[in-house]
């Protein structure tokens, strides 16, 4: 069975600090996709990134970076030089690439608060 | 603008009443999904539909029903059989023609049943 664990329920840092959100996943499939979503106070989930299981290259997008390590089943998300606008709940999710609906399994989310 | 619309944003109902949540998308996506979010928890899948006139139960379908008569619409009915209906409900859609698998979400409806 698929499972996503985000062990950090809440994180609070001061603006400009770097912060890493952890995500550990479980799956029996060899082909799967991992995602990060951001949920600001408005409630809508915003798609940030997708990674497939065959691509372990780290990715950087501005202040955001993602570290995918199959050996430890982790897909961690780092925000560099955090800003108040980064405050949100962040979800990691997993989808197995089998024929069908490609359902997403979500972690419980990490509430990130950036203090000015 | 293309996107997913959910209305209303806040909905209040008395216990024992059925209520239907709206979800409309103009992204031309085939697949649509309904999730439930409770405070401090992740999203749980209620129902999903891959094509018109077809839908499947998700992990927590009891007490809910859906229909998919049109590609752009996937309404969710919360019935009186749902024991704890108060929650935040999110609708999502995905383009099945692309092998990308990410889902795009609407703004959500917060349902309160008293």
């Amino acid at each position: 069975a698929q499972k996503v664990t985000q062990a950090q329920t809440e994180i609070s840092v001061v603006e400009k600090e770097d912060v890493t959100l952890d995500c550990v996943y479980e799956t029996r499939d060899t082909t799967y996709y991992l995602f990060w979503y951001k949920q600001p106070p408005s409630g809508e989930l915003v798609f940030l990134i997708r990674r497939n299981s065959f691509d372990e290259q780290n990715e950087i997008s501005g202040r955001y970076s993602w570290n995918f390590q199959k050996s430890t089943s982790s897909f961690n998300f780092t925000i560099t030089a955090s800003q108040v606008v980064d405050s949100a709940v962040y979800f990691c999710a997993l989808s197995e690439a089998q024929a069908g609906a490609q359902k997403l399994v979500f972690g419980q989310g990490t509430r990130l608060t950036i203090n000015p | 603008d293309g996107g997913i619309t959910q209305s209303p944003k806040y909905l209040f109902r008395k216990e024992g009443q059925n209520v239907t949540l709206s979800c409309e998308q103009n992204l031309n996506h085939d697949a649509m999904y309904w999730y439930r979010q409770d405070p401090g928890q992740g999203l749980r899948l209620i129902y999903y539909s891959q094509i018109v006139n077809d839908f499947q139960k998700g992990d927590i379908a009891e007490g809910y029903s859906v229909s998919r008569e049109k590609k752009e619409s996937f309404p969710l009915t919360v019935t009186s059989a749902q024991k704890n209906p108060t929650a935040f409900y999110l609708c999502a859609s995905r383009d099945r023609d692309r092998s990308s698998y990410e889902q795009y979400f609407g703004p959500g409806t917060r349902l309160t049943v008293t």
Side-chain angles (χ1 to χ4, degrees), chain B residues 46-89:
Chain B
I46 304 172
Y47 267 98
Y48 60 98
S49 168
Q50 298 186 74
I51 54 173
V52 174
N53 293 323
D54 184 62
F55 49 83
Q56 288 81 39
K57 294 181 179 180
D59 300 319
I60 56 166
E62 186 175 348
Y64 299 97
S65 65
V66 294
S67 63
R68 187 83 188 277
E69 297 176 2
K70 297 186 297 183
K71 186 176 184 177
E72 58 270 22
S73 179
F74 190 40
L76 172 74
T77 297
V78 184
T79 75
S80 56
Q82 168 51 232
K83 293 177 183 173
N84 296 298
T86 295
F88 187 51
Y89 291 88

Side-chain angles (χ1 to χ4, degrees), chain A residues 29-92:
Chain A
D29 272 18
T30 56
T31 304
Y32 52 89
Y33 289 82
L34 294 162
F35 306 83
W36 276 96
Y37 284 87
K38 174 181 180 179
Q39 186 177 41
S42 60
E44 180 174 349
L45 262 73
V46 177
F47 166 72
L48 295 178
I49 189 171
R50 175 192 77 251
R51 222 54 188 152
N52 73 55
S53 51
F54 298 112
D55 183 1
E56 286 193 72
Q57 274 194 327
N58 291 333
E59 183 154 341
I60 298 174
S61 176
R63 297 182 296 106
Y64 295 174
S65 62
W66 291 269
N67 183 349
F68 176 30
Q69 293 193 338
K70 286 179 74 170
S71 59
T72 56
S73 296
S74 66
F75 186 43
N76 296 338
F77 173 30
T78 297
I79 301 175
T80 303
S82 60
Q83 299 177 3
V84 173
V85 293
D86 296 326
S87 296
V89 180
Y90 290 86
F91 289 97
C92 181

